[in-house]
Amino acid sequence: MFKIINFLNQIKLTTNQLVIYTCIYITLVLNFPFLSKTAVVVTAFESYNLFFLLSVPVFLLALSIFVQCFLSFRWITKPLLILLVLLSSVLFYSTVTYGIVFDYGMIQNTVETDTAEALSYFNFSAILFFLFFGVIPSLVIANVQLTYSSFVGELLARIKLLSGSVGVVFLIAIVFYSNYASVGRNNRDLVGYLTPYALIDSTVKYVRKNYLYPPLRFSLLDTSPTIKSDDSTKRITVLVLGETARSQNFSLNGYEKKTNSLTKDLGVVSFRDVTSCGTATAVSVPCMFSRLNKKNYEKRVAVAQQNAIDLIHLAGADVYWISNNNGSCKGVCSRVKTEQISTNSKNPLCDGEYCFDEVLVDELRKKLHSVTSNKTLIVLHMIGSHGPTYYRRYPENKRVFYPDCQRSDIQNCSQEELVNTYNNTIAYTDLVLSEVINELETLSNVSNAKTSMIYVSDHGESLGESGVYLHGLPYAFAPQEQIKVPLIYWGDKVHHEAKLACLNSIKGQPMSHDNIFDILLGEMEINSTVYQPKNNPFNQCTVDIALAKTTSQTTPQGVK
């Protein structure tokens, strides 16, 4: 090791030379995902220009050198280049291994990720990858000797390098402009793979939008929402907020493996064509509870106005948010009673870092026995199927599918093992939902309370399809696995029999997170100026049943 360091110490380079060599490494090695995906796009054409394809790495190299010409001077050169290499190696691993793209949404999700979740991505493979592609090249940069000439001499050399890089960029742009314009317009997702520049650009935008802009004044969408029903029947709705569950792995939706063996006989209605607002919790959760829809959603605006939870609470209903997800509620529950499940408890369902979702049922049971309000909404926020440590989302004795993948570097598991592990998380979620339903049904039978449950996931998950894992890809080109989510409804038979039959007839109707705001207000029977009945697909069943009752009551006897 010392011989290698001594050898490196004998290597003498100018600042410009070190910049060029480092940029070559970042361009040709750490940008391999970008270059390979670009090659796939270009070669897909029946007749493509080989010289255009070969110009891409040269063009990227020239741009990288151009950028570094303004940043790398004397003593700051090595620290800056080492930082770029270390950062780029982490991005390289994330993209190669999981298919992650560090756009604005991913930066937001990363910033809002808790420590335990972040640590779940570290494993032996990640450490080796980081050492080989990040640490070793950084040691090389740190130990070579830099030689300096006079200030004027270095300035002239830098101007020459800058001029050369500009000349290359200009020449390639002139010769292949139409090719770059065509590929760029039709494949905007490629920009997200530029390492590390896509990350830097997204980070600057995130910081600017979240820390440099002044906070918006909180807006009241409705100052006096009310509860429609004036009868004395208790109404309790439980919203189970799922995590990373994709619709296609639910046997309720036609999946061949029995992942919903417990809820299938409990009278639930599963809606089969539901899309999420985003591909990450940080976007989807605040979005689905917001009056804004996916098209105009902006977190800065959403957190500065009332959401569905606020309106239900303001109308007079008791609202509780109970979370087993350390990522919190993303600001949605800030103004209602909240409870975060402690992972450090002596509960056998907890291991010090995570708790299995059955702890939510225990907390629900306590709340149901102490309900005093006639209208109550309880939100149970699950940890669900959050990866990559899927195997830590279900107890050992609840494994249904074998063999499974008992590791976090999921790319090193077989496809069968990975899918089985994920399916085990869905089966365990199904168990939790069945227990929630049993608690509500028991309460309904004992006290005649009107009870219902809604389950919806925040986003889906990729399990290696097309080489993509986890979630968080930019929505514009995210696969269906990441944006198709389950939406399940259950209601006690005494109060909901006709409604359930009606909902079953529309379960194939397209829906999205944009409907959740109005579904919740409708289910809790909230009168509000911002409630949009047409945006509540459940409303057609409620209205039809109400009309049927009215007709039957007003129709003279003997008339059909």
Side-chain angles (χ1 to χ4, degrees), residues 40-61:
V40 170
V41 169
V42 174
T43 56
F45 297 107
E46 291 185 9
S47 57
Y48 64 90
N49 190 325
L50 178 60
F51 292 103
F52 161 62
L53 182 59
L54 294 175
S55 77
V56 173
V58 179
F59 188 77
L60 178 56
L61 174 60

Side-chain angles (χ1 to χ4, degrees), residues 53 139 155 192 226 266 377 394 404 458 493 504:
L53 182 59
L139 289 174
L155 182 61
T226 59
L266 297 180
L377 172 65
Y394 52 92
D404 58 355
D458 56 353
K493 293 181 181 178
N504 260 309

Side-chain angles (χ1 to χ4, degrees), residues 218-245:
F218 193 81
S219 172
L220 298 178
L221 301 181
D222 187 351
T223 58
S224 54
T226 59
I227 298 175
K228 295 179 186 177
S229 179
D230 56 357
D231 61 48
S232 58
T233 303
K234 282 189 177 181
R235 179 177 191 88
I236 300 171
T237 296
V238 174
L239 172 66
V240 183
L241 182 55
E243 172 69 52
T244 322

Side-chain angles (χ1 to χ4, degrees), residues 113-118 120-121 239-246 281 285 321-328 340-343 349-361 379-395 422 424-426 428-430 432-433 455-461 471:
T113 295
D114 65 285
T115 304
E117 181 181 333
S120 68
Y121 291 89
L239 172 66
V240 183
L241 182 55
E243 172 69 52
T244 322
R246 67 187 203 179
T281 307
V285 169
W321 188 292
I322 307 172
S323 179
N324 187 38
N325 191 314
N326 289 331
S328 77
Q340 177 67 51
I341 300 294
S342 172
T343 60
L349 291 169
C350 304
D351 64 6
E353 286 188 280
Y354 303 105
C355 293
F356 297 122
D357 279 324
E358 281 180 279
V359 295
L360 291 170
V361 182
V379 181
L380 304 179
H381 193 179
M382 307 179 84
I383 195 169
S385 303
H386 203 292
T389 51
Y390 305 118
Y391 68 96
R392 299 184 67 179
R393 306 294 171 247
Y394 52 92
Y422 184 80
N424 280 331
T425 69
I426 302 300
Y428 185 62
T429 291
D430 190 65
V432 174
L433 294 181
Y455 167 78
V456 62
S457 182
D458 56 353
H459 54 77
E461 186 85 328
H471 55 268

Side-chain angles (χ1 to χ4, degrees), residues 76-272:
I76 67 170
T77 302
K78 284 187 177 182
L80 177 65
L81 295 180
I82 288 173
L83 178 62
L84 284 178
V85 168
L86 292 175
L87 178 61
S88 297
S89 67
V90 173
L91 304 181
F92 184 38
Y93 172 78
S94 301
T95 304
V96 168
T97 306
Y98 301 121
I100 294 175
V101 176
F102 287 87
D103 66 335
Y104 181 91
M106 181 55 69
I107 298 301
Q108 178 179 328
N109 204 42
T110 302
V111 170
E112 298 179 12
T113 295
D114 65 285
T115 304
E117 181 181 333
L119 290 176
S120 68
Y121 291 89
F122 286 93
N123 49 61
F124 187 66
S125 296
I127 294 171
L128 284 180
F129 206 98
F130 181 65
L131 287 173
F132 186 80
F133 289 100
V135 175
I136 293 177
S138 295
L139 289 174
V140 173
I141 295 172
N143 285 281
V144 298
Q145 287 190 47
L146 288 182
T147 60
Y148 304 107
S149 61
S150 65
F151 176 79
V152 175
E154 285 197 28
L155 182 61
L156 290 175
R158 183 55 56 90
I159 292 174
K160 288 179 182 179
L161 182 60
L162 182 62
S163 301
S165 61
V166 170
V168 171
V169 169
F170 186 68
L171 180 61
I172 292 177
I174 291 177
V175 176
F176 300 111
Y177 172 77
S178 60
N179 302 86
Y180 278 95
S182 175
V183 172
R185 278 196 301 266
N186 298 316
N187 302 275
R188 297 184 184 276
D189 57 294
L190 289 176
V191 176
Y193 292 95
L194 284 172
T195 302
Y197 306 109
L199 172 70
I200 295 171
D201 177 66
S202 299
T203 302
V204 170
K205 290 178 180 177
Y206 179 83
V207 170
R208 183 178 63 201
K209 182 173 288 189
N210 291 275
Y211 299 105
L212 300 183
Y213 288 168
L216 297 174
R217 184 177 180 180
F218 193 81
S219 172
L220 298 178
L221 301 181
D222 187 351
T223 58
S224 54
T226 59
I227 298 175
K228 295 179 186 177
S229 179
D230 56 357
D231 61 48
S232 58
T233 303
K234 282 189 177 181
R235 179 177 191 88
I236 300 171
T237 296
V238 174
L239 172 66
V240 183
L241 182 55
E243 172 69 52
T244 322
R246 67 187 203 179
S247 178
Q248 72 181 68
N249 285 61
F250 278 63
S251 55
L252 288 172
N253 296 333
Y255 186 54
E256 65 273 11
K257 294 187 178 181
K258 297 180 180 179
T259 53
N260 301 116
S261 59
L262 297 175
T263 56
K264 68 180 178 65
D265 297 321
L266 297 180
V268 300
V269 180
S270 182
F271 300 91
R272 303 187 173 190

Side-chain angles (χ1 to χ4, degrees), residues 282-424:
V283 176
S284 286
V285 169
C287 180
M288 75 168 78
F289 289 98
S290 170
R291 177 69 282 175
L292 305 174
N293 55 35
K294 180 190 174 302
K295 185 179 294 185
N296 62 11
Y297 173 75
E298 185 178 343
K299 183 180 179 181
R300 184 167 173 263
V301 177
V303 299
Q305 61 181 222
Q306 290 172 305
N307 56 49
I309 300 296
D310 294 325
L311 291 169
I312 293 169
H313 183 235
L314 185 60
D318 276 353
V319 180
Y320 302 93
W321 188 292
I322 307 172
S323 179
N324 187 38
N325 191 314
N326 289 331
S328 77
C329 62
K330 308 303 181 186
V332 174
C333 63
S334 300
R335 293 165 290 277
V336 298
K337 299 172 186 175
T338 61
E339 179 181 337
Q340 177 67 51
I341 300 294
S342 172
T343 60
N344 296 317
S345 67
K346 296 180 180 179
N347 193 319
L349 291 169
C350 304
D351 64 6
E353 286 188 280
Y354 303 105
C355 293
F356 297 122
D357 279 324
E358 281 180 279
V359 295
L360 291 170
V361 182
D362 295 337
E363 295 303 315
L364 172 64
R365 190 178 298 115
K366 295 175 186 176
K367 285 290 184 292
L368 293 179
H369 288 153
S370 61
V371 166
T372 57
S373 174
N374 279 350
K375 298 294 181 288
T376 303
L377 172 65
I378 302 173
V379 181
L380 304 179
H381 193 179
M382 307 179 84
I383 195 169
S385 303
H386 203 292
T389 51
Y390 305 118
Y391 68 96
R392 299 184 67 179
R393 306 294 171 247
Y394 52 92
E396 180 71 21
N397 63 351
K398 297 297 191 297
R399 295 165 71 189
V400 178
F401 303 100
Y402 297 87
D404 58 355
C405 174
Q406 296 284 315
R407 55 198 297 177
S408 63
D409 52 338
I410 53 178
Q411 73 281 3
N412 292 321
C413 297
S414 69
Q415 186 65 14
E416 179 190 13
E417 290 172 337
L418 177 56
V419 172
N420 282 342
T421 310
Y422 184 80
N423 284 340
N424 280 331

